Amino acid sequence: MSKSWTDDAPTPVALQEHAHLKDPISYKVKRALLGNPLNRHTLGHQRLAKKFALGILSSDCISSSAYGSEQILIALLPAFGLASFALMMPMTVVIICILTIITLSYRNVIEVYTKTGGAYIVTKDNFGPVMSIIAAVALMLDYIVTVAIQSAAGVAAIISTFPSMHAGKVYMTVGIILLIMYGNLRGVKEAGKSFAMPTYLFIGGMAIVFITGLIKAATGHLPVLSTNVAGTFPVGHAQGLLTFSAVFIMLKAFANGGSSLTGLEAISDGVALFKVPEANNARRTLVIMSTILGTLVIGVSWFAQRIHAMPYEKGTPTVISQIAKEALGSGTTGRVLFVFVQGATMLILFAGANTTYNAFPILCNFVATDGYLPHQLTKRGHRLSFSNGIIFLTSAAIALVIITGAAVDRLVAFYALGVFTGFTLAGFGMAKHAYTHRIGNWKLKMFINALSGSVAVIVVLVFAVVKFTEGAWLVITIAPIAVFSLLRLNRQYRREKAALIFRREESRATSISRHDVTILVDSVDVATVGAVRYARSLNPHSISAVHFVIDDQRAEEIRQSWADAPALDDVTLELVDCPDRRLPNAAMDFAIRATASRDVELTLILPRRSYAPFLGKLLHDQTAEEIARPISQLPRVVATIIPFDVAKIISGENLAIHEGHEIDLPSADRKVVPVTPQMKIKPASAVSFISSEPVSHYAENVTPIGMITWRNRAHVSGRVTSIKTAPRGAAPIVEVEVWDETGGVTLQFLGRREISGLDVGSQLLAEGMVGETNGSLTILNPSYEIVI
């Protein structure tokens, strides 16, 4: 190789990108639908401010007030008649007390688990993995139901305004779920902007309803509706409250009203979504959310009692729509405000469904990271969201909507059991945490959390009994099966991990006395010659080729072709009989014989010819994989597959090679442009980060990396794309590649094995003399500054 210090050598240049694979059709479609992929280093910028977090994470909880009071009436009216309205407020007060207790408990959860909390993390830390899986399954089932019921309730708000649309209820609900999924696949930040506003619209709309309604009530103009209307739930006759049936019905109504508290856990599950300081912002948002929810639940229940709002069997018009209609009046302004309130109700219910799309994928990520769910659920997608979790949630929710016909009263039967199970485990878990650590006012915290867990477990038992025949039996049946399945999955992951553990006593020596290479030959062609070329590069003790004979005539043709090929005249070809035509067995026997001596290591090279995806499978076998799989189980034997793309040769297509390099414009696609000395290019630090810190002297006179020159000092700025350290037995050196929009340069730090605080993806400013290594520009022992 030419050396740059000789007279006729080319001038060393900055590192440049050259080859880029052509995007497949599937990726182009994804990019068209979801937009350009987000850089993983921008993940920190996908955090939510409190105003967005309240809109996203509290919409599920706040929107529950739209149907919680109605569900209480559905349970009470057939049993207690008009006396049901007198029972509304006492039952609502009990629910508000439970809301207060659970809010205090979850405030403590966020205080202790400052990065992420929720029932799963709390239970895992305090009760171990088995109990945590129970919490995870309960929450996942509840989240699936939440998406279904919130979407169905939002569609019910639309139908309450436009009754003629009732026939398309299921299709509308499925369409809404798919639309919410699409918004979340585009990324957390985009979904937040879309779904934050409905929360504020709903709060504002209900404030108008409550204020006008209170004025009408004070002046005696708030009407009382007729209870004898076709289509409403039947009105029973008043009965004593101390009979068994009466107590059962009241417990059932209480369980229905408990659905108003679902969504409280979303903020503790999504603490990581908040901007720093995450814990403080999350606690404030939790208190605000609970206060708003309590006010709305009390208001809706009071007005429902005051005007005798009746729930309808087909679900529309809803109780909250009747309250809004009577409070706002029938005038032009009243009708306009009524449509506004119904629109806001619809939007917040849909936003409540969206809340789950932020909590569910994060929960699945935690559980999968611990090895209890498939690891695919830990991978971030095109727009940095957990796409697989989003798609899984959507599929399950749509199935539930279709099964129940998008009926809210039928979906409530599946509701709240899971989330109150989470409340139970989180409450008792935090009580144990307070008792174990005994920090600060631990006795009060232990009491509050134990009370929260006790109240929640009572609700779970009540719900399981009174809702058993209406659908709770399905949740009670599925949950243990799911827990058992997740534990079995974890056991499989643990077995696989144990099999791959590096054990010092069983490890091979890094150097061996003899390394042989054998190429398995099925024909003599370009792929075989390429495999032989690769075998020579390994510098083995010996190279040989083996053909397993299953057809004598073909074996003779291969032997003759091998003898006639000059490129193969130094490689011995061995023909091995394979009478039963079971090639994997024959390869195993050969490898065992070849490694009979314990100081011999064998590499088997298998040329694999790749063809067109469909015709390749139809016209050609996949023998290489079948042979390599069992071979890999033998000690001191390595099976290496050398791919050779036949389809690419036939098509005549090659990789796109270019001499320019790509400028990563923040808001545009990457473009290939040649770098010239006349270009005025903004430094990478200015494009990628906006810092409020004082400007360092390292940032003065920053030169684009593509413009730096050999044997001159240079100030450069860019992102670290790779860090290479010397092995422990070699001289210490760290090599760092830094790139900006114009190219890359290698920074060499002699005498060091690491650079504290420097990671792949870090932004770096460096200054030093530009040298060269193997024709590429290098800066030796530069002064540097890591940009935070």
Side-chain angles (χ1 to χ4, degrees):
M1 176 181 290
S2 300
K3 301 296 182 183
S4 57
W5 53 80
T6 61
D7 293 337
D8 57 348
T11 303
V13 296
L15 301 173
Q16 298 180 6
E17 293 181 299
H18 291 289
H20 299 278
L21 296 176
K22 182 180 178 181
D23 293 337
I25 295 296
S26 59
Y27 184 81
K28 291 179 179 179
V29 171
K30 181 192 295 185
R31 190 169 181 172
L33 290 175
L34 304 180
N36 291 332
L38 292 179
N39 191 311
R40 70 181 182 88
H41 301 297
T42 66
L43 184 60
H45 302 284
Q46 300 301 302
R47 301 297 186 93
L48 301 174
K50 290 194 293 294
K51 61 182 180 181
F52 284 131
L54 179 64
I56 298 174
L57 300 178
S58 68
S59 54
D60 173 21
C61 193
I62 291 175
S63 63
S64 299
S65 62
Y67 53 82
S69 300
E70 179 173 350
Q71 295 302 316
I72 294 176
L73 285 174
I74 289 174
L76 292 178
L77 281 171
F80 296 102
L82 296 181
S84 304
F85 293 108
L87 296 172
M88 277 283 292
M89 289 310 296
M91 197 159 289
T92 300
V93 169
V94 173
I95 291 172
I96 295 302
C97 290
I98 296 175
L99 168 65
T100 303
I101 294 170
I102 294 176
T103 299
L104 292 174
S105 176
Y106 268 86
R107 195 169 180 271
N108 187 220
V109 169
I110 297 171
E111 180 183 7
V112 174
Y113 296 90
T114 56
K115 291 300 180 183
T116 187
Y120 175 72
I121 301 296
V122 173
T123 308
K124 183 179 73 171
D125 283 357
N126 295 283
F127 295 128
V130 176
M131 293 297 292
S132 70
I133 294 305
I134 296 175
V137 169
L139 288 176
M140 286 190 290
L141 291 175
D142 181 75
Y143 287 150
I144 292 169
V145 180
T146 297
V147 174
I149 197 170
Q150 296 285 113
S151 302
V155 171
I158 299 175
I159 297 173
S160 295
T161 310
F162 306 101
S164 60
M165 302 178 68
H166 187 273
K169 181 169 65 172
V170 173
Y171 299 106
M172 292 169 63
T173 305
V174 171
I176 290 299
I177 294 174
L178 292 175
L179 186 62
I180 296 172
M181 177 195 73
Y182 174 73
N184 280 273
L185 287 176
R186 285 190 61 88
V188 171
K189 198 170 186 178
E190 285 73 10
K193 291 180 178 179
S194 301
F195 290 101
M197 187 57 67
T199 300
Y200 301 106
L201 293 177
F202 178 72
I203 294 171
M206 292 308 297
I208 295 172
V209 170
F210 289 170
I211 292 171
T212 56
L214 288 172
I215 293 173
K216 282 190 173 184
T219 58
H221 293 91
L222 188 65
V224 176
L225 301 177
S226 172
T227 57
N228 188 19
V229 181
T232 60
F233 276 86
V235 179
H237 300 285
Q239 58 175 297
L241 298 179
L242 299 180
T243 64
F244 176 79
S245 60
V247 172
F248 184 84
I249 293 300
M250 285 191 292
L251 289 175
K252 183 177 180 180
F254 169 73
N256 280 7
S259 62
S260 298
L261 305 186
T262 56
L264 274 175
E265 79 291 343
I267 288 180
S268 64
D269 284 337
V271 174
L273 294 174
F274 284 81
K275 288 187 175 180
V276 293
E278 296 96 335
N280 291 340
N281 290 333
R283 292 172 69 194
R284 293 190 188 104
T285 305
L286 175 65
V287 173
I288 294 171
M289 177 187 72
S290 298
T291 303
I292 295 172
L293 174 63
T295 303
L296 290 171
V297 170
I298 292 174
V300 172
S301 294
W302 187 86
F303 277 102
Q305 170 192 330
R306 181 67 175 76
I307 70 172
H308 286 187
M310 295 288 294
Y312 282 71
E313 289 184 320
K314 65 178 182 179
T316 55
T318 60
V319 166
I320 196 171
S321 70
Q322 296 175 56
I323 294 171
K325 190 171 185 179
E326 298 306 322
L328 298 172
S330 56
T332 302
T333 304
R335 287 197 298 268
V336 171
L337 288 175
F338 173 72
V339 173
F340 169 77
V341 171
Q342 286 300 99
T345 304
M346 172 199 70
L347 290 175
I348 194 174
L349 286 164
F350 294 156
N354 177 72
T355 300
T356 305
Y357 278 90
N358 291 282
F360 182 90
I362 293 175
L363 174 63
C364 288
N365 172 51
F366 294 150
V367 180
T369 300
D370 292 336
Y372 292 94
L373 280 175
H375 288 166
Q376 288 87 338
L377 293 171
T378 65
K379 299 183 183 301
R380 293 188 180 271
H382 192 73
R383 302 284 293 182
L384 296 181
S385 57
F386 293 107
S387 303
N388 292 327
I390 291 171
I391 294 171
F392 172 49
L393 175 60
T394 300
S395 304
I398 288 176
L400 191 58
V401 165
I402 294 173
I403 291 171
T404 60
V408 174
D409 59 322
R410 294 178 63 187
L411 286 165
V412 166
F414 300 96
Y415 212 25
L417 186 60
V419 72
F420 272 95
T421 301
F423 292 163
T424 300
L425 293 172
F428 287 135
M430 291 308 300
K432 181 181 178 183
H433 181 278
Y435 179 78
T436 302
H437 294 82
R438 304 189 182 191
I439 299 174
N441 197 4
W442 66 272
K443 291 184 179 179
L444 178 61
K445 293 178 180 179
M446 186 178 70
F447 172 76
I448 292 174
N449 287 296
L451 179 61
S452 173
S454 301
V455 170
V457 77
I458 292 172
V459 176
V460 170
L461 295 175
V462 170
F463 202 99
V465 172
V466 302
K467 290 287 186 179
F468 186 82
T469 58
E470 298 179 20
W473 67 269
L474 185 60
V475 177
I476 295 172
T477 303
I478 290 176
I481 297 174
V483 170
F484 176 76
S485 300
L486 266 58
L487 292 174
R488 288 294 300 270
L489 178 65
N490 177 257
R491 184 170 69 177
Q492 178 65 23
Y493 274 134
R494 284 188 285 109
R495 286 177 176 175
E496 293 171 356
K497 184 177 180 179
L500 295 174
I501 290 177
F502 179 81
R503 297 179 177 85
R504 185 178 301 274
E505 64 275 9
E506 298 177 0
S507 63
R508 302 179 186 179
T510 54
S511 61
I512 55 176
S513 59
R514 177 175 170 180
H515 177 210
D516 295 336
V517 176
T518 299
I519 304 104
L520 302 187
V521 177
D522 186 50
S523 62
V524 180
D525 54 18
V526 177
T528 303
V529 173
V532 171
R533 186 182 301 117
Y534 172 74
R536 291 192 180 107
S537 70
L538 299 178
N539 295 320
H541 179 269
S542 66
I543 301 177
S544 62
V546 170
H547 172 68
F548 296 112
V549 180
I550 57 177
D551 183 311
D552 292 331
Q553 182 177 353
R554 179 169 177 76
E556 178 58 27
E557 292 173 355
I558 290 174
R559 187 194 64 78
Q560 188 61 46
S561 299
W562 194 273
D564 295 340
L568 308 174
D569 55 8
D570 61 335
V571 180
T572 302
L573 174 64
E574 180 180 359
L575 302 179
V576 178
D577 189 23
C578 184
D580 59 0
R581 299 170 302 286
R582 297 171 66 186
L583 294 178
N585 281 0
M588 287 276 287
D589 290 340
F590 175 83
I592 291 172
R593 291 196 307 271
T595 56
S597 176
R598 297 186 63 85
D599 63 344
V600 174
E601 185 169 33
L602 174 68
T603 296
L604 285 180
I605 296 180
L606 299 88
R608 183 184 65 187
R609 299 154 185 84
S610 302
Y611 302 90
F614 177 73
L615 287 178
K617 293 181 180 179
L618 184 66
L619 302 178
H620 304 278
D621 58 26
Q622 306 294 319
T623 309
E625 286 80 1
E626 296 176 5
I627 294 175
R629 192 175 299 113
I631 287 295
S632 63
Q633 302 175 25
L634 296 176
R636 294 177 288 107
V637 179
V638 176
T640 302
I641 296 177
I642 307 297
F644 191 81
D645 198 336
V646 179
K648 188 67 66 176
I649 294 177
I650 295 173
S651 66
E653 297 179 2
N654 293 308
L655 289 176
I657 306 296
H658 59 78
E659 295 302 326
H661 35 274
E662 299 179 350
I663 295 181
D664 193 2
L665 303 176
S667 59
D669 294 340
R670 294 171 69 90
K671 298 180 180 179
V672 178
V673 293
V675 176
T676 63
Q678 293 76 27
M679 288 183 65
K680 295 182 179 180
I681 299 174
K682 197 172 186 180
S685 56
V687 174
S688 302
F689 289 95
I690 300 176
S691 176
S692 59
E693 297 295 325
V695 177
S696 165
H697 73 278
Y698 289 111
E700 299 174 358
N701 303 319
V702 170
T703 304
I705 293 177
M707 307 294 293
I708 63 177
T709 55
W710 180 41
R711 291 181 174 175
N712 287 286
R713 299 191 69 83
H715 292 249
V716 297
S717 172
R719 190 180 296 279
V720 175
T721 60
S722 74
I723 300 175
K724 181 169 66 174
T725 58
R728 186 169 54 185
I733 182 174
V734 177
E735 295 186 357
V736 178
E737 273 193 22
V738 177
W739 286 74
D740 66 7
E741 299 92 335
T742 65
V745 66
T746 301
L747 311 180
Q748 290 186 344
F749 297 89
L750 301 180
R752 306 180 68 169
R753 296 198 179 276
E754 65 176 351
I755 299 177
S756 299
L758 187 66
D759 300 306
V760 172
S762 299
Q763 192 75 9
L764 194 67
L765 290 163
E767 186 269 334
M769 179 64 71
V770 181
E772 72 84 39
T773 301
N774 295 327
S776 296
L777 296 178
T778 303
I779 300 179
L780 185 64
N781 285 334
S783 56
Y784 67 94
E785 180 177 306
I786 301 172
V787 179
I788 299 177

